[in-house]
Each structure stands twice: as C-alpha cells, then as structure tokens.
C-alpha cells in the first residue's frame, strides 16, 4: 500500500502545525505524521489531566479544518525505502509514502545523565513526569523533587503542584549569577517575563544538583549538593532533566548535516539535502515561539513562497536572541560529568555500568564491547548521555528506526527498486 504527498511533515508540534498552516494556501497535498495521539507535541501535550493553551487549541482547529492536510496520529517512520520515500506505521497498518518535499519537525527529548539511584522506581525525567501527570498519573499528596537545568524544571514543578503534589525542592544546577543575568534580559520578551512570574516556586534553588537517589525497592529520598553542602530530602518522586537535545536521528539517517547535535539549516530552514527542510527543536532548542516561526518559514519555503518566508525573518531573529540567552544561562557545569560512580548504570536496557564505558575510545567501540545502545531505546537515552560524558558522536541510525510489525516490513516487498 502506498500514498503520495506534495509536502510531508514529520511531527505535529508547534513547528509542524505552523508549517502545515503556512503551506496549505498553495493547494499542495500535505500529509502530517506524528507519533502522539493528539497534535501539539510535548510542549502542548494533551491528556486526561492536561490543560492545553488556547493558542494550541486554535492552531489545532485551524489545521484540522484544512481540506488539503491529512493528519495521521500515532504514526512512526520505520525506514527510508528510496529517494523521497518513507515506510511508516500506525496502530493498524504500515504503508509507503512518496513525497516531493519533506519537513522534519521532530522536536527534542530530555538529556538524562546517570547518577547513583537514577534507575529506581519513582525517578523520571522532568518532562517525563510532566507527560505522565498529563496522561493521568496520580501525584496528589506525593512529595516531589525536581532537579536538573532550564525552565522545564519550573514548568514540571507547576504541573505537579497543580495536580496536588507537594513540591519540596527545585534544584537548578546553573549559578545564581547566570540565572539572574537571564532574568534581567526577560523584559525583551514580555510574555516570557510574565510566564516566569507565573511559574515561580518558593523552593527553587540555584547552584544545586542531584548527587544520589536514595532507596532500596523504590525511591525514598534524594541527596543534593546545594551551594556546596550536601542535603537530603525525603520524597516519593524525583524528576531530573538536564536540558533538551534535538531529535535529529531521522534527518541524520537521511543524510542531513549536523550543527552540533542539531540539524543544520539555512535562512529558509532548508537542510543540506535538497527538498528537505527542518524546523523547531530538531534544529536547536529555543521554545515554542521560535518553533512556531521556524515552522511558518519552512512551510512557505517548501511550497516556493520565499518572499512570504523572508517576511518572518525578523520575528525569527527576535526569538533566536531568546534561545541564545537561554542556552548560555543554563549551560551544564563540568561537575555534572562526575555524577556517575563506576557501578552506576549508563545503559539501562543492557545493564552497562559506567566502568565498562570509561576506557573505550568511541561510541562504536563501546557498543561492540558492551552492547551499550543496542537495547529497546536504541541509544536514545544512553547515547546522549555518553556523548555528554565522553564526547562521543553517535553514528547515524540504521533502519528500522522504530520497532515495527512483520506485516509493515513486508511492505518493502511491494516497493519498486529505486
């Protein structure tokens, strides 16, 4: 089974939705794929306990009303089966999509760094806890500690607090001076200043980071280093997020050049591969406002409206300034590379401790000697951690990019040779 799109968009977060909205007036046949049940991405994640912003609701409604946009939720890319051709799968079937132009809006994921006890039940990512709560996880009256770096910590704390949790600590690894310097620049972006006031938590502490999660069968508490001193807090949940890293694997597999960990793009949001654009956090973290305007530019450029796309450059530059200030203020401190002990697991899927990796030369050698990155997550967690800890560059992923049914892989037999 096969389908065709003039413009194929992977990811229905802010960037993907705006890309579809911008490209739609051209009359192009647009297909929008996303692996979540509802559009909105992680930042506007829907669920039983989610409160979706009005802006997100309106954008979803506008895109949903477009006759030339076909949205496929809970759909994953399995493989590239030929030039401008992808094999995809949803809950019921697999099929091949041919496209003329591709826009990658694959977002970002949390950076999870290993530390003693991080695999205990009750320990999650900061964004992971937020997603679980929105999906219905009960946290009422549970004591919660949030640790790591960046504004996501306060957003996660607010979600937990609004759902009845007792937030007993928010540990930000950045220094007081760095955070104060960032806060002093927020009047340049008034809505971000208001947002910061709304998210403030009285338990927020700078110069603080997690040292160890405490417990035997499950989490019982957390040890933090706060302003140079060790403190312990009893808690039922610990959420740690050390910033975001771009989901650039699909673009990398399709041959796109990277800039650091992100997909490299030009002024039109075009990648190094002809006919392939990228927008949003897969090109670097900068918040929903930057993702929205990048999506608009990519959508317009993808259908040939360069004049329209260029009109949005000043707005993009404004939010790129915010992204630069944000990423500078919350850059990770060197001591976070020393959190793991020799017996601390780095790869949870294959039970690989830090000591098995410390002597390896690169990611490939580590995989061959320890099976690190060869488990269910395919290196999405440990690969990013190893890159931060050792400076290794993970290799481009090979298909299948996600677990797939045999029936889906059989679609490859129906694909004509390239």
């Amino acid at each position: 089974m096969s389908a065709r799109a003039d413009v194929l968009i992977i990811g229905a977060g802010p960037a993907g939705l705006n890309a579809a909205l911008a490209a739609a007036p051209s009359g192009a046949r647009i297909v929008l794929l996303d692996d979540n049940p509802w559009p909105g991405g992680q930042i506007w994640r829907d669920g039983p306990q989610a409160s979706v912003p009005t802006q997100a609701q309106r954008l979803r409604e506008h895109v949903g009303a477009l006759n030339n946009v076909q949205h496929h939720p809970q759909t994953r890319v399995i493989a590239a089966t030929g030039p401008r051709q992808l094999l995809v799968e949803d809950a019921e079937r697999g099929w091949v999509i041919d496209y003329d132009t591709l826009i990658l809006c694959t977002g970002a994921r949390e950076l999870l760094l290993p530390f003693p006890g991080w695999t205990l039940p009750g320990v999650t990512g900061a964004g992971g806890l937020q997603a679980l709560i929105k999906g219905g996880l009960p946290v009422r009256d549970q004591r919660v500690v949030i640790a790591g770096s960046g504004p996501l910590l306060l957003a996660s704390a607010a979600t937990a607090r609004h759902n009845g949790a007792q937030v007993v600590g928010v540990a930000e690894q950045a220094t007081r001076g760095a955070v104060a310097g960032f806060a002093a620049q927020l009047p340049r972006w008034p809505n971000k200043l208001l947002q910061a006031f709304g998210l403030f938590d009285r338990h927020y502490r700078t110069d603080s980071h997690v040292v160890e999660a405490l417990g035997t069968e499950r989490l019982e508490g957390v040890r933090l280093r706060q302003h140079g001193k060790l403190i312990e807090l009893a808690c039922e949940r610990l959420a740690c997020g050390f910033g975001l890293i771009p989901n650039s694997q699909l673009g990398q597999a399709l041959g796109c050049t990277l800039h650091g960990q992100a997909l490299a793009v030009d002024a039109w949001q075009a990648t190094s591969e002809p006919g392939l654009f990228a927008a949003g956090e897969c090109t670097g973290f900068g918040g929903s406002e930057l993702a929205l305007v990048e999506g608009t530019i990519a959508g317009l450029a993808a259908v040939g409206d360069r004049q329209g796309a260029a009109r949005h450059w000043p707005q993009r530059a404004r939010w790129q300034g915010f992204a630069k200030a944000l990423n500078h203020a919350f850059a990770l401190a060197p001591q976070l590379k020393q959190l793991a002990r020799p017996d601390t697991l780095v790869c949870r899927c294959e039970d690989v401790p830090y000591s098995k990796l410390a002597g390896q030369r690169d990611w490939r050698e580590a995989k061959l000697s320890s099976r690190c990155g060869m488990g269910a997550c395919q290196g999405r967690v440990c690969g990013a951690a190893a890159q931060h800890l050792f400076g290794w560059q993970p290799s481009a992923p090979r298909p299948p990019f996600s677990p797939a049914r045999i029936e889906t892989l059989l679609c490859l037999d129906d694909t004509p040779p390239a």
Side-chain angles (χ1 to χ4, degrees):
M1 183 175 179
S2 63
R4 176 157 190 84
D6 297 322
V7 179
L8 175 60
I9 303 172
I10 310 295
L17 290 172
N18 251 24
L21 192 64
S26 69
R29 291 175 295 178
I30 300 167
V31 174
L32 179 62
L33 305 182
D34 193 81
D35 59 1
N36 290 307
W38 300 284
Q42 296 301 320
I43 193 166
W44 291 335
R45 191 179 185 91
D46 210 335
Q49 295 177 177
S51 178
V52 181
T54 302
Q55 178 190 19
Q57 293 175 3
R58 289 176 178 169
L59 182 54
R60 280 163 41 161
E61 290 169 0
H62 288 162
V63 173
L66 296 169
N67 294 327
N68 59 326
V69 176
Q70 188 176 19
H71 174 223
H72 292 280
Q74 295 182 288
T75 302
R76 299 173 298 180
V77 177
I78 304 302
T81 53
R84 308 203 179 195
Q85 187 180 78
L86 296 177
L87 174 65
V88 303
E89 179 186 81
D90 65 12
E92 298 178 352
R93 63 191 177 104
W95 71 101
V96 171
I97 298 182
D98 294 281
Y99 59 87
D100 294 328
T101 303
L102 177 65
I103 306 177
L104 295 178
C105 303
T106 46
R109 64 192 186 280
E110 285 187 277
L111 173 61
L112 304 176
L113 297 180
F115 55 88
W118 77 294
T119 58
L120 281 171
V123 182
T124 64
L129 178 62
Q130 204 178 22
L132 287 168
I133 293 173
K134 290 179 179 180
L137 177 73
V139 293
R140 181 165 298 280
D141 298 327
Q142 293 184 2
R143 293 166 297 182
V144 176
V145 174
I146 315 287
S149 193
L152 182 58
L153 303 187
L154 287 173
S156 183
T159 299
R161 194 171 57 246
H162 292 160
N163 285 273
Q166 300 175 33
V167 177
V168 296
V170 181
E172 167 57 61
Q173 62 86 40
T175 65
R176 181 179 301 176
V179 175
F182 175 69
Q185 297 182 67
L186 285 180
R188 295 167 55 190
W189 308 280
N191 64 324
K192 289 296 184 183
L193 180 62
L194 291 173
Q195 192 179 69
F197 279 121
L199 293 175
F200 177 76
D201 191 289
R202 64 188 179 90
H203 297 289
Y204 185 80
R205 299 291 185 273
T206 57
D207 297 287
S208 304
H209 66 264
V210 66
V211 173
E212 183 175 2
L214 307 173
T216 50
E217 297 300 319
R218 63 165 293 109
L219 180 72
E220 298 171 13
V222 60
R223 184 173 293 135
L224 302 170
R225 185 173 296 280
Q226 194 170 97
H227 302 293
K229 297 180 180 180
L230 290 177
I231 67 167
E232 291 185 7
L233 297 173
C235 59
E236 285 74 46
R237 293 200 177 274
L238 168 63
C240 287
F242 295 91
L244 298 176
I245 49 176
N247 284 325
S248 56
Q249 291 91 340
L250 179 56
Q252 192 179 1
L254 295 175
C256 298
T257 299
L258 296 182
H259 178 68
Q261 293 176 289
L263 296 177
V265 293
D266 65 12
W268 311 103
Q269 299 295 139
T271 71
S272 59
E273 289 295 304
L276 204 164
F277 297 79
E281 291 173 350
C282 62
T283 67
F285 176 62
S288 60
E289 293 85 359
L290 180 58
L292 286 165
V293 67
E294 287 182 348
T296 297
I297 293 170
L300 291 169
V303 295
D305 186 1
R306 291 202 162 198
Q307 186 176 1
R311 286 196 291 268
H312 295 272
W313 286 357
Q315 185 184 5
R316 179 179 59 188
R318 178 170 179 260
W319 289 111
Q320 284 174 334
F322 173 77
K324 184 178 180 180
L326 180 74
N327 293 320
H328 175 74
F330 296 101
L332 296 183
Q335 62 261 32
L336 296 180
K337 293 185 179 182
Q338 278 90 51
L339 294 180
R341 297 172 185 161
D343 61 347
T344 301
L345 292 183
V346 176
C347 176
R348 296 179 297 184
C349 299
E350 295 293 328
D351 293 331
V352 181
Y354 181 89
S355 59
K356 284 278 188 74
L357 302 176
Q360 308 300 332
R361 291 181 299 178
D362 54 30
W363 178 243
R364 183 176 183 275
E365 188 175 281
K367 289 179 72 174
L368 290 173
S369 65
S370 69
R371 289 188 56 82
C372 183
M374 299 175 71
C377 88
Q378 288 292 286
R380 286 176 175 84
V381 176
C382 60
Q387 185 170 13
H388 179 78
L389 294 173
F390 306 115
W392 298 340
Q393 178 62 51
S395 54
R398 293 183 294 179
F401 306 134
S402 299
R405 296 187 298 270
I406 295 296
E407 293 83 354
T408 296
L409 298 178
L410 290 174
C411 293
L412 297 173
D413 292 336
D414 300 326
T415 304

